[in-house]
Amino acid sequence: MPSKKSVAPKPALTAKQFKESVVKHLRSTLGTYEEKASNQAWGQAVAAAVNEFVYDGVSRTRKTHAGKNARAVHYLSLEFLMGRLMSNNLQNLGLYEVAEQALKDLNLEIADILEEEPDMALGNGGLGRLAACFIDSMATLNIPAVGYGIHYEHGLFRQEFHKGRQVERPDQWREFGSPWEICRPESQQIVKLYGYVETVYDQGKISKVWHPARTLRAIPWDIPIVGYGGQNVNVLRLWESRADKFFDWDVFNSGGYVDAYAESVQAETVSKVLYPNDETEAGKELRLIQQYFFSAASIADVMRRYKAAHGDDLGNFAKLNAMQLNDTHPAIAIPELMRVLVDEEDFAWNDAWAMTRETFSYTNHTLLPEALEKWPLKLIEKVLPRHMEIILEINSRFLTQEVEPKWPGNDDIKRKLSIVEEGEAQMIRMGHLSAVGSHTVNGVAQIHSELVKKDLFPELDALWPEKFVNVTNGITPRRWMKACNPRLSTLIEKHVDTDWPRYLEKLEGLKQFADDTDFQKEYMAVKRANKEDFVKVIKELTDVDVSADAIFDVQIKRLHEYKRQHLNLLHIMALYRRILIDPSYDMHPRVFIFGAKAAPGYKLAKDIIFAINKVAEKINSDTRINDKIKVVFLPNYRVSLAEKLIPASDVSEQISLAGKEASGTGNMKLALNGAITIGTMDGANIEIAEEAGKDNVVIFGMEVDDVVALQNKGYNPAEYYRNNEELKAVLDWLEGDFFTPGEPGLLASVKHNLVESDPFMVLPDYEAYSEAHKKIDALYRNPKAWARAAIINTASLAKFNSDRSIQDYADYIWHIDGVPAAKK
Ligand code: NBG
């Protein structure tokens, strides 16, 4: 339980001292001066001033952990969607107000300075943002932890709309360097690729020697991660790839300047770009190399640190090191650790395997079959010949020693459980490899973890019932409330104490005010002020005028059919149609706000964006509807935009087909900031409804069992199309030129998909969704009831603190304790 002593960070210096430090850095670190400095230079100077504390924290934390021989966790993730770091670091160090005042004294607005920082978008969506929240929580809980990932030169693409269509532009997050990262050339690693494996017989002993055909250098960049209160500062270590020898001098000297350079260019492509896929498979050789590159460099780094502290005896390796696989992307780390132990450290297979299994655990983030990674055996064999041998050995021992005794002679089960999928081309199932090579597998919300057992790995669950557990996702309340919603934070601080950003259960203290008229007014005034701020953002980004009187109805997430942005679209069109038919149609004005990027190769997702933009254009300029509806699609949705929008949201759209959204985390951020969820019984929505109470969320639609029943019965979308007059009318609209004057059929793909196949059952949920929206409308028109529901949401979300998620991982999976760094 919460300690009595306040954990709220206290500033280590005054505004005056901070100001002096900023000016000093402006002159001596940036080489400029007050009259000349741009906001960007000021931002760098502030970062340098903050870094004095951050770097000190990094060294204190390292020293403590090394000295205490602490068990550490290594969080392996191909994605870390960090966003901006300045405001979070200031908040966690307790320096925000100090910095605000210091900048005021320099005639600067902190908001303008914060805006200068580019988002660090080294991730696609939920999975990457979860990793970012988790490393914040690990630092806050004083857990010795390193996040490992790739130092992409270009993060997720910048999205523009050209005539309503998504256009992708390269992201340049470190065009001018990033003040937050420290290069650590002394810890670089060599990563091997391609080549062949030699079998060596020596005095009756067989060993394998991998002769790689290429090597890469992995250069680590450390991003300090400041825990709340600033006591522990962990690092996120991101690997950049470089050619092993910058130039091949021999080639260079013999006149091959371009050839010599070509190799380094090729090597650098490994950390050049983030794959912009999300829930879809990217079957590319470069992606496999990325996965191996960062896994191998990270394992080598962990080994190096272990040996520096404990010498060459690896006996305690698994006791001191946990490794968490964030989805299957780093699964190749399993055979890599085996390779290191068996080939390089001379371990017997069984001992190495026991250590490997004791080290790894794996988080599954999706059940969508197209997102479950598989690699062609031939490809792995080419790029990582020794690993392919090891995977086959793991598989054969697994099938003969574990599967066979449980199901003797059952080849069907063996075929299902084999890491190798047979077929025209043999494929390696990375999910199977991860589950077999880990001691624990977790899903990310209760329902999802149940489905992992029931639908994805039922036999593995029967084989190892203890292996499968749930850890419901969470979000850091520091970023997603304290930093992004200062008005609400101040109000909360007035009524409960200041420790809520660490102990979110303290917000329960707000429940007693849920019916208090004065508190309701204050709470809704905060929402109102946030909305007024956001009205300006909408105007700036889309040139659409909206009113803060309207309901702000928000759907922000990657664009994917299963998330059903098109269900939202159909309902918007239906509302529009109702008003056209009956201009007095009774509804409170609504602004529908979308933010979503589509994977560049995902055609239908891009068509849905285009359709929403076209419908928006028409509705927003139609004076007949009296501004009852506005639709805005915000371009380039990202962490920093979410931070502005979430505090201004009234309604949270969480409308995935039941069983498809593993958890969702935007649902948690929105509910914490007082938006009312309209959602299906899917992912963490179910747990949000449990915590906030069913009366304070609006649940609609089919549940998982209904979906299965409909599928079994034989789902025919055309029936729903024919039998619902409104649905039919709006779908037909998409076919003509109503929204694309003079160019009929531009939006037809969306209709055809829905009427002909509708893989995510949009049509059967339409009516229930439309009714649910009526409930939202009625609730909003009862301001006291609305305020009450919103307050109860804010007050009830403690479970979704990522500190709780991390404590669960620490207690049930990693078996690790926090080790607070020594104070100065
Ligand atoms: C996503 C799920 C979300 C979940 C996040 C974080 C992938 C593969 N999965 O529902 O779709 O919230 O992971 O767990 O990105």
Side-chain angles (χ1 to χ4, degrees), residues 126-127 130 278-279 327 365-366 444 473 562 661-665:
L127 174 149
L130 185 78
D278 193 40
E279 327 259 354
D327 218 302
H365 292 270
T366 182
V444 290
N473 282 167
Y562 86 78
E661 188 70 271
S663 161
T665 44

Side-chain angles (χ1 to χ4, degrees), residues 279-280 366-370 560-567 602 604 608 655-661 680 682 702 707 710-711 715 717 753-754 757-766:
E279 327 259 354
T280 48
T366 182
L367 299 172
L368 292 190
E370 63 269 33
H560 202 292
E561 289 163 85
Y562 86 78
K563 295 178 187 282
R564 303 199 295 190
Q565 280 93 349
H566 44 352
L567 174 58
Y602 188 172
L604 186 61
I608 293 170
I655 60 178
S656 50
L657 175 64
K660 300 296 177 193
E661 188 70 271
T680 47
D682 199 16
M702 292 184 288
V707 171
L710 183 55
Q711 251 149 10
Y715 168 49
N753 174 274
L754 290 176
S757 61
D758 193 14
F760 297 96
M761 298 185 164
V762 170
L763 305 191
D765 267 345
Y766 172 77

Side-chain angles (χ1 to χ4, degrees), residues 293-456:
F293 165 75
F294 101 99
S295 300
S298 305
I299 286 182
D301 197 47
V302 176
M303 277 285 168
R304 178 190 55 80
R305 208 173 300 121
Y306 177 94
K307 286 189 173 178
H310 309 280
D312 287 346
D313 177 1
L314 291 173
N316 283 323
F317 182 84
K319 295 201 174 46
L320 292 178
N321 293 294
M323 295 200 197
Q324 186 68 36
L325 304 174
N326 195 28
D327 218 302
T328 57
H329 314 150
I332 197 74
I334 292 172
E336 170 65 5
L337 182 58
M338 285 300 287
R339 186 191 67 79
V340 171
L341 294 176
V342 173
D343 295 359
E344 292 180 359
E345 303 292 342
D346 223 17
F347 272 80
W349 181 279
N350 284 339
D351 297 337
W353 184 237
M355 278 168 73
T356 298
R357 257 192 185 165
E358 205 182 321
T359 304
F360 283 103
S361 43
Y362 150 56
T363 306
N364 173 285
H365 292 270
T366 182
L367 299 172
L368 292 190
E370 63 269 33
L372 294 171
E373 283 190 305
K374 286 179 200 166
W375 290 105
L377 184 150
K378 287 273 172 262
L379 178 65
I380 299 188
E381 199 165 49
K382 175 173 118 191
V383 180
L384 301 167
R386 178 61 183 136
H387 296 77
M388 196 55 251
E389 290 184 357
I390 291 172
I391 293 170
L392 294 178
E393 183 69 26
I394 291 173
N395 194 39
S396 107
R397 288 174 187 244
F398 163 60
L399 294 177
T400 54
Q401 296 170 10
E402 303 194 76
V403 180
E404 173 61 24
K406 172 103 181 162
W407 294 282
N410 189 335
D411 288 343
D412 276 348
I413 287 208
K414 286 208 192 79
R415 212 168 300 119
K416 263 192 94 177
L417 293 188
S418 174
I419 295 169
V420 184
E421 183 182 87
E422 298 299 335
E424 224 165 276
Q426 290 178 307
M427 303 292 278
I428 302 305
R429 299 160 160 161
M430 301 311 266
H432 287 54
L433 176 62
S434 304
V436 171
S438 295
H439 57 81
T440 307
V441 176
N442 76 286
V444 290
Q446 265 160 23
I447 183 182
H448 168 67
S449 297
E450 284 309 311
L451 294 173
V452 166
K453 289 197 270 187
K454 201 165 121 294
D455 294 346
L456 189 61

Side-chain angles (χ1 to χ4, degrees), residues 157-169 276 280 557-561 565-566 569 596-615 633 746-750 753:
F157 66 85
R158 201 159 46 74
Q159 178 194 52
E160 291 176 2
F161 294 141
H162 290 189
K163 299 195 171 147
R165 290 195 192 273
Q166 170 175 301
V167 174
E168 301 92 27
R169 295 276 177 245
T280 48
K557 47 186 81 252
R558 283 300 286 255
L559 212 130
H560 202 292
E561 289 163 85
Q565 280 93 349
H566 44 352
L569 175 66
K597 289 179 182 175
Y602 188 172
K603 168 93 174 42
L604 186 61
K606 291 173 115 177
D607 286 353
I608 293 170
I609 291 181
F610 180 60
I612 296 172
N613 274 328
K614 283 296 163 188
V615 170
F633 206 131
L746 287 189
L747 311 181
S749 63
V750 179
N753 174 274

